[in-house]
Amino acid sequence: MEFPVSPSPHVVAGFTVPRVMFQVLLALVPVLAVQVYLFGPGPLGLVATASATALGCEALALALRRRSSQAALRDGSVLVTAALLALSVPPLLPWWLMVFGTAFAVLIGKHAYGGLGQNPFNPAMVGYAVLLVSFPLEMTRWPLPGPPWDALTGATALDAIANGLRQGYTMEEVRAGAGFGAIGAAGGEWVNLAALAGGAYLLARRIIRWHIPVGMLAGLAVPAALAHGLDPGAHPGALFHLASGAAMLGAFFIATDPVSAATSDRGRLIYGAGIGVLTWIIRSWGGYPDGVAFAVLLMNLTVPLLDRGTVPRIHGQPGR
Amino acid sequence: MNARPALRGGLRVDSHKARPLEQPIATLPPPAFAVLALDQGSGEPAQAIVTPGTPVRVGTPIAIGRGAAADLHSPVSGTVSAVESRPTVAGTGPCVVVANDGGNERDSGLAPLDWITLDPAVLVERLASGGLAGLGGAAFPTAGKLALARAAGVEWLLVNGAECEPWICCDDALMRERAAEVVLGTRVLRAACGAARATIALEDDKPEARAVLASALAASGDDRIELVVLPAVYPLGAEGLLIAAVTGREVPRGALPPEVGVLCQNVGTAAGVARLVTEGLPLLSRVVTVTGGGVRRPMNLEARIGTPVADLVAACGGYDELRPPVRLVAGGSLTGRALASDAVAVTKGLNCVLVATAADLPGRGAEMPCIRCGDCATTCPIGLLPQQLHRAAMADDAAALERFGLADCIECGCCDYVCPSGIPLTARFHAARERQQLHEAGRRRAAEAKQRYERHRRRLDEQVEAERRAFEEARRRARGDGAGGA
C-alpha cells in the first residue's frame, strides 16, 4: 500500500493566531464594559468605528500589496489594534479622529513595514502617538465618570498632578479635586482594575507570559515608591501610578504585543521594565499626561539590541 | 532525586501508548523473504559479503560493519536471492534479500559467553560480531560506542528506558516482559565499558515497568545499578537531555557522551546484549510497536529484522477500512519518518510503525507570518530561540544561524507543535542544515583544489630552483675549471 509523505513532526497542537487574537479581544471586554458603565456609550461607538476602519484599511493595504485578504482579515490581529487604540483614547473623541488614528495605525504603523509580524512599532501606539501630538486638546479631555456623560474635566488625574504641582498647589490639594478616586484617577482606577482582570485571564490561558507585565509594573512601581518615599509632596506613590492612566492596559495588552516586543524571556523582562521606568519618567517630568504610548514606542526602538544581547544559553554550551 | 527540573521546556502531550500495551508482545513468524537494508538506520551502509545464490542459516553474517554500520546477519535460513537497491525505511538503498527455506537452521558460529570472567576487550569484539546496534532508533554499533567509552574511561553507564515520544511503547513492553534481560544486559555493558556505576532511567508514566525492573534489580544483587524515575515529558529521552537530567552533565556541541564520562545505551540494546551473552544469538529481531487509529489491533510485535512492514500491519489485523490511514510513519508522530510504502522492511532502528488516521494527526492550518510570540522558545528543550533561528534560516544568514545555534537543534519538533502560525520550523531548520553541509562540502572541495594548485606551484618552483642551482653549479665549475686552467 502506498502513502503520501511529509516532513516531521506529523502532528501539531492546533493553536492558531486567530485564536490568540480573539482571546485578547475577549479579555478586553471587561475594560470596555467598565468604560461604558463609567463614561456612557461613547467607547462602544469608538470601538465600532475603529474596528470598521481597521478592517477597511487592512483590506485596502492588502489589495495595494496584492496579497490575499481572506486569511489576514480573519486573523483578528487588526481588530486587536483597533480595540486597543479605541480603549486608550478619551471616550468622547470625535469619530473622525478615531478614523484618522486607526487608519494611520494600520496603514503606516503596520502595513508600511510589511504587515502582520513585520512592524517594529506597536501599531496601536503609533496611532495613539500621532493623535496625541496632532490633536493634544481632544486627546487629553477625559469626562468625569457617571451621567450626564458629557461633562469635560479638561484634564486627567495625571495631568492635574503635573499642572497643579507646577502652579504651587500641594499634593493634598490637587488630589482633593474632582478627577481623583480612592487610589488613582476617578473612574480610571476601575478601568485599570478591569484591565488587570483581563490580563490575569490572558496569563491563565497562557496567551501572554509574565515577563513583560511584571517587568513593566515593577518598572513603574519601584521608582514611584522610591520617589514618593523621598518626597511625598512632589511624587504620588506606586499605587496611584499603577491605578492611573493606561498602566494595566499597557502592561497586559499593549506592551505584550509580541511582534514589537523583545523575544527572549530575559529580553522581555528588560523590555517591560524599560517601559515602566520610561512611563514613570514621562509622567513625572514629561509634557504629556500619560507616558505609556511613548514609553512603548521608545522601547520598541531597543528591541533589536535587546534581542541581540539576551540570547539564552544553549544546552551544552558555556554561559554567555 | 533531582531538585532542579529535569528538562526546560518540552511537551506534556497525550502519549497514546495504552492500547498496544494491553496485550503481551507477540512474536511474528519469520518472513518468506527477509529484506535486509545494508543501512540499518545509522545512515551508513554495511558491506555485503554475500551474492545471489549464497546459502545462509539463521545468524550467518551477510554484511560487515564499518564506521557507523554494525555487522548484519541473516535472520532466516535459506538462500540469498538478490543484492539490489530497494525502498527502505531511510529512503532507497542497497538491500540483501534472503529467501526463507523455512528450515530455521541456526548457524553454529556463536556460543554463549561467560561474561563475568571474559576480558572486556574480547566482549566488545563479540558484541561487534553479534551485530548489536542502538535499538532506540539511531542503530549505531554498540561495540563502537563501547570501544569509545573504554578509551575515554567513562564512569557512568546510562541505560535509556525514557521512551518519551507519543505512540512508541516497544521499550515499555520490553521492560515489562524482559526486565531480567535488561538488568543482565546492563550488568554486562557496565563491565564491558568499565564504568563504576550504572543507572537505568525511565519515566513516571511506566509504573509497571518500574516495578518489575526494581524486583529484577533486587534479584540480581548488583548494587552498582540504580533505577531513576523521571517525569514523563517529551523529549526527555533524547540522549543529551537524558544525560543532563540524570547526571547533571551537558554534552558540548559536536562532542559525544563519553567526553563527559557517560555512555548511554537503550534498554532494548541491553536486552539484546543479554541474549547474545546467554544464548550466543546475534541481533536478529527486535520489538516494534504497531499502532495508530488506522490499524485494527495495535500491539507490540517481536519481528525479525527484514520483515516487511506490511506483514506487521497484517499481523495486527490489517488496515481499518472504516478509518483510512493518511500517513504511515516509521517512529513516532513528532520525529518519525513518513513512509511512502509498507513494502519496506524492519531495521534495527525501527521502533514503531504508526498507521495514522487524520484524527491521529491534527494538521496545521495555512502558514501565517511569525508573530514572535515566543511559544517556540518556551518549549525548546535546549534553549534555542526558534523564532530567531527561523528568521536567519529564511534569510540564509550563516552568521545568525551559527549564533542562534542551528547546529544544536535536535529536531524534536516541539517548536512546530506549539507554533500558532503553523510554520514548519523543524523542516526549515533541517533544510538550512543541509544547505550548510552543501556549502561546507563546496568549500572543502575548493580548499582541496587550492591546495593541489599550491602544491603544484611549489613543485614547479622547486623544479625551477633545482635547475637554476644545477645551471649555476655547472657554470661555477666551468669558471673554476677555466681559472684553474689560466
Side-chain angles (χ1 to χ4, degrees):
Chain A
M1 196 163 152
E2 307 294 311
F3 295 87
V5 296
S6 55
S8 69
H10 305 284
V11 60
V12 296
F15 305 138
T16 62
V17 170
R19 178 178 160 272
V20 170
M21 296 298 171
F22 287 109
Q23 290 288 319
V24 174
L25 289 175
L26 188 63
L28 280 170
V29 168
V31 179
L32 178 63
V34 169
Q35 282 202 5
V36 168
Y37 175 76
L38 292 172
F39 305 118
L44 267 181
L46 288 180
V47 168
T49 307
S51 299
T53 308
L55 287 171
C57 289
E58 178 105 335
L60 174 69
L62 290 165
L64 289 173
R65 294 173 57 207
R66 296 191 183 82
R67 302 288 163 96
S68 158
S69 57
Q70 288 281 326
L73 284 177
R74 252 181 276 143
D75 70 30
S77 65
V78 81
L79 289 177
V80 170
T81 300
L84 286 176
L85 183 54
L87 293 173
S88 303
V89 298
L92 295 177
L93 193 76
W95 66 269
W96 57 273
L97 279 183
M98 192 73 257
V99 170
F100 170 70
T102 310
F104 198 93
V106 175
L107 294 176
I108 306 298
K110 182 177 181 184
H111 280 285
Y113 293 99
L116 182 65
Q118 304 299 322
N119 46 291
F121 299 102
N122 185 318
M125 291 303 100
V126 168
Y128 185 92
V130 164
L131 284 175
L132 185 59
V133 296
S134 312
F135 305 92
L137 196 65
E138 288 83 350
M139 282 294 285
T140 51
R141 272 197 309 222
W142 278 74
L144 285 174
W149 291 330
D150 55 0
L152 297 182
T153 66
T156 66
L158 287 163
D159 228 2
I161 289 186
N163 290 330
L165 293 178
R166 226 170 278 147
Q167 289 161 16
Y169 292 98
T170 67
M171 186 68 82
E172 288 74 25
E173 283 170 330
V174 174
R175 292 194 63 169
F180 292 86
I183 52 172
E189 56 198 22
W190 294 106
V191 176
N192 272 292
L193 197 63
L196 177 62
Y201 172 78
L202 290 184
L203 278 174
R205 297 298 305 264
R206 295 172 184 242
I207 303 294
I208 59 171
R209 299 184 64 238
W210 61 269
H211 306 80
I212 292 174
V214 167
M216 174 171 164
L217 295 177
L220 180 61
V222 170
L226 285 176
H228 182 69
L230 289 172
D231 188 357
H235 297 281
L239 262 184
F240 175 84
H241 274 288
L242 293 178
S244 299
M248 294 296 169
L249 195 67
F252 290 101
F253 292 90
I254 297 170
T256 50
D257 163 37
V259 175
S260 55
T263 200
S264 68
D265 288 351
R266 207 149 50 89
R268 285 179 171 182
L269 207 54
I270 300 170
Y271 172 81
I275 292 173
V277 171
L278 282 173
T279 300
W280 179 76
I281 289 174
I282 296 170
R283 281 181 178 183
S284 299
W285 294 290
Y288 291 100
D290 197 357
V292 172
F294 291 116
V296 167
L297 293 174
L298 285 171
M299 286 310 289
N300 286 162
L301 283 169
T302 70
V303 162
L305 195 64
L306 287 177
D307 282 352
R308 218 189 149 81
T310 61
V311 178
R313 189 185 74 86
I314 297 169
H315 182 94
Q317 289 193 2
R320 308 194 184 215
Chain B
M1 76 170 243
N2 289 307
R4 62 199 188 80
L7 184 71
R8 55 175 162 177
L11 300 172
R12 289 170 192 272
V13 291
D14 190 349
S15 70
H16 298 285
K17 299 185 196 238
R19 275 189 73 198
L21 290 168
E22 282 167 8
Q23 47 200 314
I25 300 169
T27 302
L28 207 60
F33 286 90
V35 182
L36 299 139
L38 291 177
D39 172 7
Q40 284 285 307
S42 67
E44 192 165 345
Q47 181 81 47
I49 53 167
V50 291
T51 50
T54 308
V56 291
R57 295 177 174 183
V58 175
T60 305
I62 56 157
I64 298 299
R66 49 180 181 186
D71 284 9
L72 192 53
H73 304 78
S74 176
V76 295
S77 66
T79 314
V80 174
S81 66
V83 180
E84 62 188 21
S85 187
R86 289 209 178 185
T88 67
V89 171
T92 302
C95 298
V96 172
V97 185
V98 181
N100 186 358
D101 65 7
N104 215 19
E105 266 180 85
R106 257 185 78 172
D107 194 276
S108 57
L110 294 159
L113 291 171
D114 180 12
W115 65 274
I116 295 174
T117 57
L118 203 64
D119 177 8
V122 177
L123 184 62
V124 170
E125 195 87 343
R126 293 297 295 267
L127 290 176
S129 53
L132 263 291
L135 299 190
F140 193 85
T142 307
K145 265 180 132 175
L146 273 174
L148 264 177
R150 283 188 63 77
V154 302
E155 73 261 29
W156 206 332
L157 168 69
L158 191 51
V159 177
N160 187 349
E163 189 179 41
C164 57
E165 188 165 350
W167 300 98
I168 309 170
C169 54
C170 56
D171 286 348
D172 194 351
L174 181 116
M175 288 187 283
R176 291 184 193 197
E177 295 184 31
R178 300 184 196 159
E181 283 179 30
V182 172
V183 170
L184 176 60
T186 303
R187 299 177 70 194
V188 176
L189 284 166
R190 192 201 59 72
C193 73
R197 63 192 291 196
T199 300
I200 302 175
L202 73 169
E203 294 159 303
D204 60 9
D205 63 345
K206 302 175 179 61
E208 297 87 353
R210 180 193 183 176
V212 290
L213 272 174
S215 51
L217 259 182
S220 79
D222 192 329
D223 59 2
R224 280 176 295 198
I225 305 176
E226 59 167 355
L227 198 59
V228 166
V229 181
L230 300 161
V233 49
Y234 174 84
L236 187 54
E239 187 173 76
L241 298 173
L242 185 74
I243 288 171
V246 174
T247 71
R249 304 172 192 179
E250 292 187 3
V251 182
R253 177 198 287 186
L256 292 169
E259 288 180 43
V260 294
V262 182
L263 172 68
C264 197
Q265 293 282 0
N266 168 266
V267 285
T269 311
V273 168
R275 287 206 167 169
L276 176 87
V277 166
T278 54
E279 297 171 45
L281 274 178
L283 186 62
L284 303 175
S285 65
R286 67 157 298 147
V287 183
V288 183
T289 304
V290 181
T291 187
V295 66
R296 282 216 181 81
R297 287 191 308 276
M299 60 177 143
N300 285 293
L301 296 173
E302 168 104 35
R304 305 272 171 121
I305 309 297
T307 308
V309 164
D311 288 10
L312 270 63
V313 175
C316 295
Y319 297 108
D320 192 335
E321 287 90 15
L322 298 178
R323 288 172 295 181
V326 295
R327 286 287 184 286
L328 185 68
V329 181
S333 54
L334 287 159
T335 65
R337 188 187 166 88
L339 298 172
S341 155
D342 59 9
V344 304
V346 173
T347 59
K348 293 174 186 176
L350 183 74
N351 48 17
C352 177
V353 174
L354 170 57
V355 186
T357 62
D360 294 335
L361 303 180
R364 50 186 121 226
E367 183 180 339
M368 296 190 58
C370 170
I371 56 166
R372 290 164 47 95
C373 67
D375 286 355
C376 51
T378 307
T379 192
C380 180
I382 54 169
L384 300 178
L385 295 172
Q387 71 275 46
Q388 301 285 74
L389 205 50
H390 179 244
R391 240 173 122 101
M394 296 308 275
D396 205 8
D397 179 345
L401 285 171
E402 158 66 23
R403 186 166 73 246
F404 291 119
L406 179 66
D408 297 293
C409 173
I410 59 170
E411 297 184 16
C412 62
C414 288
C415 52
D416 271 58
Y417 186 82
V418 299
C419 178
S421 291
I423 302 171
L425 292 157
T426 308
R428 297 255 160 87
F429 299 156
H430 188 81
R433 210 177 251 183
E434 286 187 335
R435 266 201 311 276
Q436 276 197 336
Q437 278 163 2
L438 220 60
H439 291 168
E440 188 50 48
R443 268 198 295 279
R444 208 169 39 240
R445 273 198 303 278
E448 282 167 8
K450 188 176 170 207
Q451 206 175 28
R452 269 198 301 278
Y453 173 73
E454 282 171 350
R455 290 212 176 128
H456 168 71
R457 281 293 305 268
R458 207 177 309 142
R459 279 195 297 274
L460 279 182
D461 288 351
E462 281 166 9
Q463 204 177 334
V464 168
E465 177 68 20
E467 281 172 12
R468 192 181 61 80
R469 243 185 257 134
F471 173 73
E472 282 182 359
E473 177 70 17
R475 206 165 56 170
R476 197 170 58 238
R477 201 171 299 145
R479 211 180 288 142
D481 287 350

